[in-house]
Amino acid sequence: STGTVDLTSAVLTSDAVYCLQSVSSTSGTVTCTTPLTACVTITVLPLPTVSVSGTTTICQGDNATLLFAGTPGATVNYTLNGTLTPITLDFITGENTITVSTNTTVSLVSVQTNPIAPSPSCSQTISGTASVTVLPLPTASVATTAVCQGDDAIFTITGTSGATVNYTLSGGITSTGNTLLNASGSATVVLAGITSDITLTIDTVISNTTPACTATLTGVSATVNALTSPVVNPISEIHVCDDNNDGFSAFNLKESE
C-alpha cells in the first residue's frame, strides 16, 4: 500500500535541506526497514523591501520628485495624502518615482514581489514616509499720493513680510532699486524734492524663506503726480481818488492775466 504525509518545518530564515533516512513497516512481530536517500531543498526567498525619500520644500509652481527604491520588480502599496496607491519598481534598477507640485505626504504600507513561477510571492508590511511642502509665492502692491513740485514723493509698498521687492522708477527719474518689507509687510520709498511725475513699478518679489521663492509681477505700479504750485503775479502800484476826502477809497482787485 502507499500513503502520504505532510511535514511542517519550523520557521525558516535560511535555506534548508531535508533528507529521508529510512522507511519501516511492521507486520505482526516483524518490522522491515528500507534505507532512503531522497532529499529536498527548501529555498528561503528574502522578503522584499522598499524605502521612500525626497522630503523637501518647494515654491508654488515648482515640482518635486519622490523616489521609491527597493526590491526590483516589487509592487509597493502606499498612501498619497491618505489615498491608497500602488507603484511597481523597475525590474532592473528597483526604483520608481512620482512627481508632485502640491502639499504631499507619502506613507508606505506594504511591498510584494512579482515572482517568476513556480516561486511564491513574498510580501510584508512596511513603514516609511516622505513629504513635500509647497510655499506660496510672495506678493506686493504699491500706493502713493500726489504732492506739490519740490516736495518729497512717498511710495508705500505692502506685501509678504520679510520679502525683498525689486522695482523700477520711470518718468522724472529712471533707475532701479529694491527695498525690504518689515515684519508687518510694509516699506516706504522716499524720493526727495521731485519736480515731475514719477512711476514706481514692482518687478519681482523674493521671499525670505528656504528656498527663496520669486514672484514676477506685471502691471503693479503707482504714479505720484507733481502738482504745479499756484502762481500769483505781483501787484502793481495803484492810484485812486478819494472822492469824499475821508481817507478811504474803494477799488476792485482782480487776477492779472
Side-chain angles (χ1 to χ4, degrees), residues 25-144:
S25 65
T26 301
S27 178
T29 60
V30 178
T31 298
C32 297
T33 300
T34 301
L36 300 175
T37 59
C39 295
V40 62
T41 299
I42 298 177
T43 301
V44 178
L45 302 176
L47 293 177
T49 61
V50 68
S51 63
V52 61
S53 61
T55 294
T56 190
T57 300
I58 62 174
C59 299
Q60 181 181 347
D62 292 341
N63 295 324
T65 299
L66 299 179
L67 172 67
F68 297 85
T71 302
T75 295
V76 179
N77 289 307
Y78 66 96
T79 58
L80 178 65
N81 292 338
T83 300
L84 188 63
T85 307
I87 191 172
T88 300
L89 303 182
D90 186 89
F91 279 82
I92 297 175
T93 64
E95 296 180 349
N96 206 339
T97 60
I98 60 172
T99 300
V100 298
S101 59
T102 58
N103 289 319
T104 301
T105 299
V106 165
S107 299
L108 298 176
V109 176
S110 64
V111 56
Q112 178 177 350
T113 57
N114 290 311
I116 298 176
S119 298
S121 175
C122 301
S123 64
Q124 68 168 332
T125 58
I126 201 161
S127 61
T129 60
S131 61
V132 174
T133 302
V134 180
L135 299 177
L137 295 179
T139 61
S141 60
V142 59
T144 189

Side-chain angles (χ1 to χ4, degrees), residues 175-200:
S175 66
T176 59
N178 61 73
T179 187
L180 180 67
L181 301 184
N182 61 23
S184 299
S186 65
T188 56
V189 175
V190 179
L191 305 176
I194 68 169
T195 58
S196 59
D197 296 351
I198 296 176
T199 298
L200 186 150

Side-chain angles (χ1 to χ4, degrees), residues 150-170:
D151 289 345
D152 295 346
I154 300 176
F155 294 93
T156 301
I157 300 175
T158 56
T160 303
S161 62
T164 298
V165 177
N166 296 303
Y167 59 85
T168 299
L169 296 173
S170 59

